């Protein structure tokens, strides 16, 4: 099954990436993706929905991911906390 939704936890140097398929099962679990490898990892994915916490860096990444054909959803920090 193809990955339909990806969540990315942004940080300074290492990001956490979690992708699920249509059935809701984890297809992509990468707890440590270096900054220089993130764009290559996301470009290898089929177009999907990517969710990230809204912060100053998230807008930069969102533009990069949208250029690759993904749909990006930025989530307010107060709604990210429960996850």
């Amino acid at each position: 099954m193809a990955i339909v939704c990806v969540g990315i936890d942004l940080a300074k140097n290492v990001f956490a990436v979690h992708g699920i398929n249509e059935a809701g099962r984890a297809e992509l679990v990468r707890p440590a993706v270096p900054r220089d490898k993130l764009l290559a990892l996301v470009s290898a994915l089929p177009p999907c929905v990517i969710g990230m916490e809204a912060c100053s860096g998230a807008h930069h990444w969102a533009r990069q991911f949208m250029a690759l054909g993904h749909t990006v959803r930025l989530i307010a920090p107060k709604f990210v906390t429960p996850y």
Side-chain angles (χ1 to χ4, degrees), residues 46-57:
C48 58
V49 176
I50 299 176
M52 299 180 289
E53 179 178 356
C55 65
S56 58

Side-chain angles (χ1 to χ4, degrees), residues 8-9 52-54 74-83:
I8 301 176
D9 183 16
M52 299 180 289
E53 179 178 356
L74 298 179
I75 304 166
K78 68 179 181 181
F79 297 118
V80 174
T81 303
Y83 296 103

